[in-house]
Every structure is written in C-alpha cells, then in structure tokens.
Amino acid sequence: MSRFLRIVLPALVIVAWLAIASVGGPYFGKISEVSTNDQTSFLPASADATKVQERSSEFRQASGAPAIIVLSRDTGLTAADSAAADTLATQLGDRDDVQGVSPVIPSEDGDAVEIVATLTQTAETGDAVEAIRADVDDALPSGLQGYVTGPAGFTADLTEAFAGIDGLLLGVALAAVFVILIIVYRSPLLPILVLGTATFALCASILVVWWLAKAEIVTVNGQVQGILSILVIGAATDYALLYTSRFREALRDHRTGWDATKAALRGSLEPILASGGTVIVGVLCLLLSDLNSNKALGPVAAIGIAFSLLAALTLLPALLLAFRRAAFWPLRPAYGSDHPVVTGPGARGVWAGVGRLVARRSRTVWIVCTVALLAMGTGLVGLKADGVPQSDLVIGSSQARDGQDVLADHFAGGSGSPAQVIGAEGRIDELVRAITAVDGVDGVVAASKDSPSGTTPVGGTGTGASAGAATWEPTVSRGDVLLEATLSDPADSDAAEQTVRDIRTAVERVDPDAIVGGVTATAVDTNDTGIRDRSVIIPVVLVVILLILMLLLRSIVAPLVLIGSVIVSFAAALGVGALVFDHVFHFPGADPSVPLYSFVFLVALGVDYNIFLMTRVREEALRHGPREGVLRGLGVTGGVITSAGVVLAATFAALGVIPILFLVQIAFVVAFGVLLDTIVVRSLLVPALTYDLGRRVWWPSRLSRPTHHM
C-alpha cells in the first residue's frame, strides 16, 4: 500500500469518529428527554395492570400521577393548622400542573390531614412535585410537619436519585479507569487514547439509542441508561487493552507502525470479535423477557457493545498507528527487542510463578478453587430476590418514604394509591361485596366523570372525601365500570400485595373477565414477570454461549469447562452478594432482575476473558503442544486480562454512586464477580483444569489427537 494511503486512511478514520462524537456528544444531556421511570410502561401488554392503565382514561379524565400531601402535628392539629391546610389546597388547585385537588381530609385521631393533588397528564412529575413541596414548606405554620408522597412523590424521588447518572456516574467511571491505566501502563498518553476510544464509542451509542427511544422503538429508563454508559466504557476499554497488548508485541517484531498494525489486527481480530459477539448475543437474549425494561436493555446494550467493538478495531488502531511507539512513552517497545520470557527457568514475574504453580499442582489448584467458589455460593440460600417495596428503591433520604410512614400512622396505608378493578356494570354490587370482603380493604368507590372528586360511593363503602357526599352515577365504558379499593396497608408493602392477589381471586369468582390494576398490582405483575424472565432467559443464555464457544474453539470439552467455570463463579459472586446485602448493608431484599442482569453480564463478560485466554492458548498449543500452550497463553495474556478485569470491575463499581438499590446491588455483584473471574477463574481454575486435562480438553479437534505434531 502506498505511503499516501497509509497516512490518509487512518486520518479519515479518526476524522469520521470525531464527526460522530461531535454529533453524539450533546445527546448525553438529552437522554433524559426520552427516558421514563413509570413502572407500568415496563410491563407487557398482557399484564392486568397494563390493561387497567390503558383503559383508566375511559372512566375519568386523563391525568397524571397523584401527589399525596400529608400534614401532621403530634400534639393534635390547631385551628391555624386547619386554616393553613385549606389555604394550601386552594393554592394547589390554582397550579397549571395540577388537574384537581381533593378536599382536605382529616384523620380520625385529629393529628393529621391529607390532600390529594392529581397532576395533569402533561406535567413533568419531578418538576411539579418539587414545586408542590416548595408550596407546602411555605404554607406550614411552626411545628406542623408536611410531606409530599404517593406515586408522584416516589417518582420525583426516583428521578432525583437518577439525576447524577449523566455526569457523576460517567465522571467517576472515567476517573477510576484513568488511574488504573496510569498505574498499569505507566504511560501518560496511552490511557488518554484508550479512554478517548471508549468515550467516542459511548457518544455513538447514545446517539443511536436516543433516536430509537424517540421513535418509541426501545424503552429507556434510568437503570438502562446507567448500565449502557458503564457497559460501553468497560467493554470498549477491555477490547482496547487487548488490541494494545497485541500492538505492543508487534512493535517488537516489525519496524514500521503499519506492519505492526496489520499484525496486531490479525492477532486480535478473532478474539475481540468473538468476545464482543458473545456479549451481544447474550444481552439480546433479554429480548425474550416479558418486561419491557429488560427487553429494552437487550438491544440498547447490544448497540453499545457493537460500537465498542467498532471503536476498538478502527479508531484505536488508527490512533496507535498515528503515535506508534510514542504512545507507550516512556516505556517504548524497541524494534528487535526480546519478548518477555513467560515459561521455563528464565521466566520471571507473577505470571511465570502462577504458571509454575499450575504446572506442578494443576489438579490441586482447580479442585481447591472449585470448592472455594462453591462454598461462596452457599450464600444463595439466603438470597431474597422477589422484589422490594417502592419506598426502598431510593437509598438515603426520601421525603416520599417518610410521608408514607406518616400517612400510614393516621390514615389507611393505601390512601391515594388504590387497587383498581375493571368489571362488568351488571355485576357491580357483587364485585363491591367481593372486594370489601377481602382482608386489607378499607373501602371501595367507583370512578365517575360526573363527580367533582372523580369518584362516587358504592354499596355504602365510600371512604375519604367521597364518604357521605352526593351520589353520582358510575361511569360506564364498554359495559364496564372502574372500582377503586383503598387498601389498609401501604401500597408497596407485602401485605398490600397479598391483598391485591386476594382481590384478584375474589373478583374472578364473580366476573372472570374482571381485571385488577393500580400501583400495588403493577408491583405484583412486575415481580411475577421478572421471576418468570429469570427462569426462561438464564438457560437460553447458557445454551447460546455454549454453542458459540464450540464453534470458536472447535471443541466440545473446552466450552463445557468454560461454561462450568463461569456458572460457579456467578454462583459465588451472587452468594457473597446475598450475604453482604443481608448482613452488612441490611438491604430489604432485591429486585428479581438483579440475579438476571448479574448473570447475563457476568456470564457474557466472564466468557470474554476466557475467550481471550483460550484463543491464545489454542494458538500457542498449535506450536508448542497442549500443556505448554496453556502456560504460554497464561503468561502472555495474564497481565492484559487482569488489567481489563480490574478496569471493568471499577466501571461497574461506579454504578454504586447512584443511590438506587437496584444499581448498587448490580454494581457490587458484577464488580465482585468480575474480580473473582479475573483473579481466580481465569488465572487459576481454567488454566489448571485445562492443563490437567491436557489434549483431551480440545476433543474432538485435531489438537486432541496424539498423532498431531507441533
């Protein structure tokens, strides 16, 4: 190739990526425009809660979430407190983002009042609640406590917790990776090139995801957004480090940067593509999920990994070709210099020592590692991953959580967040009797467009503002009515969830076509669907990745070894996570998606490192024999894979800065699991077991035959 093209081609690649980054960069701050944290939007269309949500506007004016304002004084409300509550209700009713306000509802003990302010359908929940909280603070007499809670309050607190996901999360992740790369490579320029590659990949990913979400092709929420950023930074850095390692080797064997680039691409293309492809296929298995939030993460993560691959195999080679040996300053690899000795008597360093241990005590090493991992996995016995209350999603202070506690002390715990039942108009009396007979139901009203409050008493069970009020006819749509059952327990409690399940059983006996929705039903359907997803997707991921490994390694035994190793590694990470969550952090439990996401990422990314290792082992085995190939592959890849593992663990650990329970748990399990996989599984367990099996590990390929000569 002419000298002109050798200069122009990489320059064009760099310019193209600069153009992509300049367009995609501004979308970092815009991704929140197309994201949602409405839990109902993540449910499948077949879920009862989704059907109720879709039909609720038929029975009342379309509206946003209700904000519940609760005011309390431990010594009893004063006349001034009551006057302030009336003034506040009037003030809230005048707001443009509030559709309607209930009358002031006093508690039976006289210590609190409740006001329900329903937001407009177009209101931005976070901004509206922030403004309402400011109004409440301004209206409170001295000593009167005020809180804004309910669905709108919890959504606002969740939105505030996610506020740092654009800047803080990315900044922490990039800073951690930069420090690690400086320590490992002792070069000021190389970390900038690697992180630049990862950042450009993220810019391209965000750009594509934004437009897909804008077109409503994918659903994006805070957790998907955070995981995308971390996954791209971690994966792109991993692939970049693998290529960088090959390029540094090639610079010792080739005089020109162009020849070194070609050699590095030849050596790294297959393992990088195989690793990235494995992760892409693994995350795309999330498309089998019935939860739209899980389903959305599949293509979003796949897009991120695809751009990570593209950047690592185009932008980084172009940058390293431009800087050549200067990229590694001050430790430049000189042309013709010796490669590090990784096996034999002259080998020095940590990985040479690990190789000697594997060679001397291979069976002992892999047995001890397996037993240790299985022992860690016993923590799974105490894992509670069947959902957590909405009030516990935010770690740290939450006014909505505090307000819900006060509300439950003075009113029915489910005030403002009723269970909603859509059933046949002709069976309304039977439905009301069936619902009120369920333990945990405080009262039932029917939706009515004619009523100023939006509801009307039915069967003498009206509660709150509707009790004793004029009776309006329930709204009828398609022969159905909408009933609302106020629950005695807080809407996100286990007791409330059981009440909703009992309501479903009760109304089904009266009207088999009746459906139950609302805040609590949404949580029930989400948890049930999440548990179903976990049972379906995990086996599919294992089978798919196993088939990919068989095609890549041209073997049956080696892929089984690798899959077995990542399974015990995942069990160990989740087991330790369960112990830490329960006994150290005292978390209330975990979302069903925590084991699922942890599994998908740990298995896909854990196999990544095994692919890096085993493709090199196979390459060396073809030259030096199966057992010598293991030691050489371990010695050559040990440093770079460990560095990549530490980087990936650091990026996932950065998720812990976002005070959301789900993300903190994912951060711990994946970060710990990656370190476990890097330090124990890939460094000791897999090499030792592969060494012990010898050529049998490559069965039925030609490497498994004794007649094959190296």
Side-chain angles (χ1 to χ4, degrees), residues 386-434:
D386 53 358
V388 294
Q390 184 184 29
S391 56
D392 288 321
L393 291 179
V394 176
I395 297 175
S397 63
S398 167
Q399 185 180 133
R401 179 171 59 236
D402 296 339
Q404 179 171 279
D405 292 340
V406 174
L407 189 70
D409 288 340
H410 302 286
F411 298 90
S415 296
S417 303
Q420 298 175 324
V421 180
I422 295 179
E425 176 199 12
R427 298 178 178 175
I428 185 171
D429 291 336
E430 295 98 318
L431 286 171
V432 170
R433 284 195 294 269

Side-chain angles (χ1 to χ4, degrees), residues 201-212:
L202 183 56
C203 288
S205 304
I206 291 287
L207 177 62
V208 173
V209 169
W210 191 93
W211 282 105
L212 289 177

Side-chain angles (χ1 to χ4, degrees), residues 357 362-376 568-569 572 676 679-688:
L357 174 64
S362 60
R363 186 163 299 176
T364 301
V365 168
W366 73 258
I367 289 176
V368 169
C369 289
T370 303
V371 170
L373 292 172
L374 291 175
M376 294 181 194
V568 296
S569 176
L676 200 62
I679 297 171
V680 178
V681 176
R682 198 276 317 157
S683 301
L684 295 170
L685 175 57
V686 170

Side-chain angles (χ1 to χ4, degrees), residues 383-388 527 581 587-595 661 665:
L383 179 65
K384 297 177 290 185
D386 53 358
V388 294
N527 292 336
F581 299 157
F587 289 153
D591 187 88
S593 295
V594 169
L661 181 62
Q665 291 174 326

Side-chain angles (χ1 to χ4, degrees), residues 625-642:
R627 285 197 165 94
E628 180 66 15
V630 171
L631 302 182
R632 287 180 173 272
L634 175 62
V636 171
T637 64
V640 64
I641 294 179
T642 301

Side-chain angles (χ1 to χ4, degrees), residues 431 434-435 438 501-511:
L431 286 171
I435 295 169
V438 173
R501 294 184 190 277
D502 293 341
I503 290 174
R504 283 178 166 168
T505 301
V507 300
E508 186 179 13
R509 297 192 188 103
V510 175
D511 181 3

Side-chain angles (χ1 to χ4, degrees), residues 320-604:
L320 290 178
L321 177 58
F323 287 94
R324 295 178 174 85
R325 290 176 172 81
F328 299 93
W329 181 86
L331 304 177
R332 304 185 187 192
Y335 170 61
S337 59
D338 294 332
H339 290 277
V341 178
V342 294
T343 62
R348 295 290 183 271
V350 173
W351 298 108
V354 173
R356 284 191 285 269
L357 174 64
V358 167
R360 288 197 310 267
R361 298 283 187 270
S362 60
R363 186 163 299 176
T364 301
V365 168
W366 73 258
I367 289 176
V368 169
C369 289
T370 303
V371 170
L373 292 172
L374 291 175
M376 294 181 194
T378 57
L380 288 172
V381 175
L383 179 65
K384 297 177 290 185
D386 53 358
V388 294
Q390 184 184 29
S391 56
D392 288 321
L393 291 179
V394 176
I395 297 175
S397 63
S398 167
Q399 185 180 133
R401 179 171 59 236
D402 296 339
Q404 179 171 279
D405 292 340
V406 174
L407 189 70
D409 288 340
H410 302 286
F411 298 90
S415 296
S417 303
Q420 298 175 324
V421 180
I422 295 179
E425 176 199 12
R427 298 178 178 175
I428 185 171
D429 291 336
E430 295 98 318
L431 286 171
V432 170
R433 284 195 294 269
I435 295 169
T436 53
V438 173
D439 289 339
V441 174
D442 193 65
V444 180
V445 295
S448 174
K449 287 184 177 180
D450 298 328
S451 169
S453 66
T455 61
T456 184
V458 285
T461 63
T463 61
S466 297
T471 301
W472 304 86
E473 288 298 318
T475 299
V476 180
S477 175
R478 292 186 269 175
D480 293 329
V481 292
L482 172 63
L483 303 176
E484 294 188 344
T486 300
L487 307 182
S488 304
D489 301 291
D492 64 348
S493 64
D494 291 341
E497 291 189 5
Q498 185 57 52
T499 300
V500 165
R501 294 184 190 277
D502 293 341
I503 290 174
R504 283 178 166 168
T505 301
V507 300
E508 186 179 13
R509 297 192 188 103
V510 175
D511 181 3
D513 296 326
I515 52 177
V516 181
V519 173
T520 308
T522 297
V524 169
D525 290 347
T526 299
N527 292 336
D528 289 350
T529 306
I531 293 170
R532 173 264 171 201
D533 286 350
R534 206 167 61 198
S535 303
V536 170
I537 294 174
I538 286 178
V540 172
V541 171
L542 284 175
V543 171
V544 169
I545 292 181
L546 179 63
L547 293 176
I548 293 174
L549 289 175
M550 287 179 176
L551 292 174
L552 175 66
L553 298 176
R554 304 166 184 88
S555 165
I556 293 177
V557 177
L560 290 173
V561 168
L562 299 186
I563 285 292
S565 70
V566 295
I567 289 175
V568 296
S569 176
F570 164 72
L574 194 58
V576 171
L579 293 173
V580 171
F581 299 157
D582 192 25
H583 300 291
V584 178
F585 296 127
H586 304 292
F587 289 153
D591 187 88
S593 295
V594 169
L596 176 62
Y597 283 17
S598 299
F599 179 84
V600 170
F601 292 131
L602 280 178
V603 170

